[in-house]
Amino acid sequence: MVSADHHPDGGSFERLMREAEQAAKGDEDLKQRLLTERVVREFVKRLVQEQEAAVNYEISVLGFHVPKRNRTKPPPHAADDHHDHHQEKKRHFEQIINKKSSSSSIVTQEPKKQQRQKKRRKITNRTRAAAAAQVIEVVPEMPERFKNEIEEMGGSKVVLVIQKKLMMCDTTERHNRFSIPIGKIKNDFLEAEEKERLIDRGEAIEDVKLIQPCVSTVNVRLKKWDMDSSYTFNLTRTWYKEAVCNTANQLEIGSRMQLYAFRLEHNNNELCFALVNLDLVNN
């Protein structure tokens, strides 16, 4: 790039650039418009000065000025030379504008690029933090009264099936189900024969014992429900009437629940569940 000291404009473009930047106050589009307008004004001013210099030269040499209307028409080649001269000057100033504008754009746009990169990094970090918070979910231990109840029933092999908040569909009579989404299951709780029965043949497992949050036992049905591209397990049949309507369980939308599975080995390894209301335990 040609320095201002050696550039044909004698450094005037640098001055115009500084004035435009000061007037624009950080607005890049406004700066470019102001710069273009001022360069054009300077160009016109220079042309006027050149014309005045020509008039002064005529007066100093000839002693008088010949008006344009009295001048003879210059030969065609002279007119072409004059036109080419002005076209060359116009191209020269356009090159100056393009070079200066491109260089200034690189300088001004680089910080914006860095800001966008920083913003993307912040968003990515927040997303990762949110994902990590979901992965590192606090899983409270089963309350002692449920452990005692399972022990009295002769249960063993206790595993946490799911920890979730109750949705509206978990609490309404119309739906009459406690959903167990496949994607939220924490531990495998079904045996091979039960999987074949539920998943492959679509049959339900009837009369599954469920220890409610109030620590009384009811029988429910375990069934697979097909969805668009997946499926879910549900506790149904007496769910709404026996569990939701039991005010001692305090099953409300947003209640934090834990569903455990355990086995009665003395009764052919029978599958049973225990439902813990974490909000009820904490209160």
Side-chain angles (χ1 to χ4, degrees):
M1 182 180 293
V2 180
S3 64
D5 295 335
H6 296 85
H7 203 279
D9 65 359
S12 60
F13 187 90
E14 295 291 340
R15 173 178 56 80
L16 295 177
M17 176 74 77
R18 289 194 299 272
E19 293 175 354
E21 287 178 345
Q22 293 175 357
K25 296 181 179 179
D27 189 332
E28 185 63 23
D29 293 337
L30 178 59
K31 185 188 79 171
Q32 296 300 331
R33 290 200 302 271
L34 292 175
L35 181 61
T36 302
E37 292 173 358
R38 296 189 180 189
V39 167
V40 172
R41 284 201 299 269
E42 288 291 324
F43 178 72
V44 173
K45 181 180 177 181
R46 182 167 295 185
L47 290 178
V48 172
Q49 290 175 348
E50 289 178 356
Q51 292 176 356
E52 291 177 351
V55 172
N56 293 334
Y57 176 79
E58 290 177 353
I59 294 175
S60 63
V61 174
L62 303 177
F64 60 91
H65 168 58
V66 180
K68 287 186 178 181
R69 61 178 179 271
N70 294 332
R71 294 178 180 175
T72 59
K73 185 177 180 180
H77 68 275
D80 292 340
D81 292 342
H82 180 73
H83 176 74
D84 292 341
H85 173 70
H86 285 289
Q87 288 296 326
E88 181 63 26
K89 295 191 69 174
K90 182 179 179 180
R91 284 194 296 269
H92 169 67
F93 275 93
E94 288 176 349
Q95 290 174 357
I96 294 175
I97 293 173
N98 293 334
K99 288 182 179 179
K100 297 294 185 177
S101 299
S102 61
S103 62
S104 62
S105 298
I106 293 173
V107 174
T108 55
Q109 290 178 5
E110 185 61 24
K112 292 183 179 180
K113 182 179 180 180
Q114 294 176 355
Q115 291 176 1
R116 288 195 297 269
Q117 291 175 345
K118 290 181 180 179
K119 186 176 181 180
R120 282 196 293 267
R121 283 197 294 269
K122 289 181 180 179
I123 294 174
T124 302
N125 291 338
R126 286 198 298 267
T127 304
R128 290 175 178 172
Q134 292 178 355
V135 173
I136 309 174
E137 183 181 15
V138 177
V139 180
E141 186 179 355
M142 175 185 282
E144 287 296 327
R145 64 174 180 268
F146 285 89
K147 293 180 181 179
N148 296 335
E149 183 68 19
I150 292 173
E151 185 177 355
E152 290 180 8
M153 293 174 62
S156 61
K157 301 179 180 178
V158 181
V159 295
L160 176 63
V161 177
I162 189 173
Q163 179 169 303
K164 57 172 276 188
K165 290 184 179 181
L166 288 181
M167 307 295 290
M168 183 183 68
C169 62
D170 295 314
T171 61
T172 61
E173 182 178 7
R174 180 171 67 89
H175 293 92
N176 186 29
R177 70 176 185 267
F178 176 85
S179 64
I180 308 172
I182 298 299
K184 292 188 177 182
I185 293 178
K186 295 184 176 297
N187 296 288
D188 189 5
F189 65 99
L190 295 173
E191 294 183 345
E193 186 276 332
E194 293 167 341
K195 290 180 180 178
E196 180 182 358
R197 181 177 174 183
L198 285 167
I199 300 173
D200 297 337
R201 302 202 301 265
E203 298 176 359
I205 301 178
E206 302 287 350
D207 298 324
V208 180
K209 292 181 176 60
L210 171 68
I211 302 176
Q212 303 179 86
C214 63
V215 200
S216 65
T217 303
V218 296
N219 289 337
V220 295
R221 174 190 294 134
L222 176 62
K223 185 174 176 60
K224 184 197 79 168
W225 282 20
D226 291 318
M227 305 178 70
D228 292 337
S229 58
S230 182
Y231 61 88
T232 181
F233 294 120
N234 291 281
L235 302 181
T236 65
R237 202 183 71 174
T238 60
W239 165 255
Y240 179 78
K241 181 180 178 181
E242 297 292 342
V244 177
C245 290
N246 188 339
T247 56
N249 292 327
Q250 297 185 24
L251 301 181
E252 301 175 350
I253 298 175
S255 297
R256 296 180 303 122
M257 312 300 297
Q258 285 181 332
L259 181 68
Y260 291 88
F262 62 95
R263 299 283 172 172
L264 300 181
E265 294 185 11
H266 66 275
N267 192 22
N268 198 25
N269 214 30
E270 179 185 355
L271 173 65
C272 303
F273 292 109
L275 184 66
V276 178
N277 186 340
L278 294 175
D279 295 336
L280 183 60
V281 171
N282 293 335
N283 292 334

